[in-house]
Amino acid sequence: FENLLEGEYCVVTTDTRDRVVPMQGSGGHSVIVTGSPVVSADFGFAPRGQIGDLTYVDVDDSGDYDIVEDFFLPDVLVTLYAGSCPSNFGLLPAPEATVVSSATGADQFSSIADGDYCVLATEMSGYVINEGSGGIDVTVSNGEVVDVVDFGFTPSSSIGDLVYLDN
């Protein structure tokens, strides 16, 4: 700021894009202008991360996406939780966020702060989760993009109808 009158000011900044985490000066700086330049009102930010990748039908039940055999599965609800995935999903905290996979099977959580997360996909009617069924533990650090969180589904099937005793 130039040509300020002498006095006390509070300098604050905001990130309206929500893509960075305030690191330094997030509460603002109180500065006193006395005619000399003030160069101590610094603000530092760290980038936020991303988590996601793909929901797909695992045709060969391999547990890994195969671009030749498998195909995208849209409309899968994917949920992000803080912390590691517990063995009992009833112990999960409230969700941090949810997304629904796109027509190309893409799912992505943006603006994720550094930390540990559990990512879960919801079962789809007619399918069973074979990759990621226990949830996927993810750690985001230094605003990185974690794009290996895949959920594979195999078609569920059954054989049979009725069992009876013919007298």
Side-chain angles (χ1 to χ4, degrees):
F1 302 99
E2 295 180 12
N3 301 319
L4 292 176
L5 298 175
E6 288 189 2
E8 187 171 347
Y9 295 89
C10 179
V11 182
V12 295
T13 184
T14 58
D15 175 35
T16 58
R17 299 166 298 161
D18 193 33
R19 288 184 276 185
V20 295
V21 180
M23 300 300 289
Q24 175 188 349
S26 60
H29 290 284
S30 179
V31 296
I32 298 175
V33 176
T34 61
S36 300
V38 176
V39 294
S40 61
D42 297 330
F43 295 90
F45 294 90
R48 289 187 180 257
Q50 298 175 352
I51 298 173
D53 200 20
L54 185 63
T55 58
Y56 66 96
V57 175
D58 190 359
V59 175
D60 63 356
D61 199 16
S62 67
D64 290 309
Y65 178 69
D66 181 334
I67 196 167
V68 175
E69 295 179 359
D70 301 333
F71 56 92
F72 306 130
L73 185 60
D75 302 321
V76 176
L77 178 66
V78 181
T79 306
L80 180 72
Y81 297 91
S84 297
C85 297
S87 57
N88 176 355
F89 292 151
L91 300 175
L92 284 166
E96 295 284 317
T98 59
V99 295
V100 175
S101 61
S102 70
T104 61
D107 62 83
Q108 184 165 325
F109 297 98
S110 299
S111 298
I112 304 300
D114 287 357
D116 296 325
Y117 296 93
C118 174
V119 186
L120 291 176
T122 302
E123 291 270 348
M124 297 284 292
S125 179
Y127 295 95
V128 176
I129 300 175
N130 74 334
E131 181 183 3
S133 62
I136 299 174
D137 287 318
V138 178
T139 298
V140 174
S141 59
N142 299 316
E144 71 186 314
V145 175
V146 181
D147 61 356
V148 293
V149 182
D150 293 344
F151 291 97
F153 293 77
T154 55
S156 59
S157 57
S158 61
I159 299 174
D161 187 17
L162 179 65
V163 175
Y164 65 94
L165 178 62
D166 187 7
N167 290 330

